[in-house]
Amino acid sequence: MAPPLPDIRLVYSTAPDTETAQQLARMLVENRLAACVNVLGPISSVYRWQGEVVAEAEVAFLAKTTAQAVEALTERLVRDHPYECPCVVSLPVQGEEGHAPFLAWLAQEARP
């Protein structure tokens, strides 16, 4: 019987620019809070903030991590992020829906 696959999460976030997204990505990987972070590139965000509708350019990024690392990843990302209230959303990934060797590597690397 094959060993159980790890409980994988994708954590979606945004940053004000590419440099900030790259810095946050490197910090997450260096601290083993994520195995890999994909900086996806510029997006246009429209949202309500402090009573006003705002439209701004941002850079989205996606961290690949484990369920066990999400709390520490979130705390560190919120602490180091330049936004007052950064977007940090954890999405579960079903283990049987991924490439088992990749998921095992990811679980090995994301160990805070």
Side-chain angles (χ1 to χ4, degrees):
M1 185 169 153
L5 293 172
D7 190 1
I8 301 301
R9 301 294 168 95
L10 299 177
V11 178
Y12 173 81
S13 190
T14 58
D17 53 53
T18 301
E19 181 180 351
T20 302
Q22 290 285 355
Q23 290 170 350
L24 292 168
R26 179 169 288 280
M27 177 273 299
L28 293 175
V29 173
E30 285 177 349
N31 287 283
R32 293 187 162 278
L33 298 170
C36 174
V37 178
N38 300 118
V39 177
L40 304 174
I43 60 172
S44 177
S45 297
V46 179
Y47 55 95
R48 185 176 302 278
W49 181 249
Q50 298 180 342
E52 294 190 32
V53 175
V54 179
E56 292 186 340
E58 294 184 292
V59 174
F61 59 98
L62 192 61
K64 299 169 192 165
T65 192
T66 63
Q68 295 78 14
V70 168
E71 184 176 351
L73 181 152
T74 300
E75 288 173 5
R76 184 67 186 264
L77 192 54
V78 168
R79 186 190 87 189
D80 291 1
H81 204 287
Y83 289 167
E84 182 180 334
C85 183
C87 167
V88 183
V89 180
S90 173
L91 307 165
V93 174
Q94 302 295 29
E96 61 273 6
E97 293 179 7
H99 181 56
F102 174 79
L103 298 176
W105 167 81
L106 193 157
Q108 178 67 28
E109 293 301 318
R111 294 180 291 124

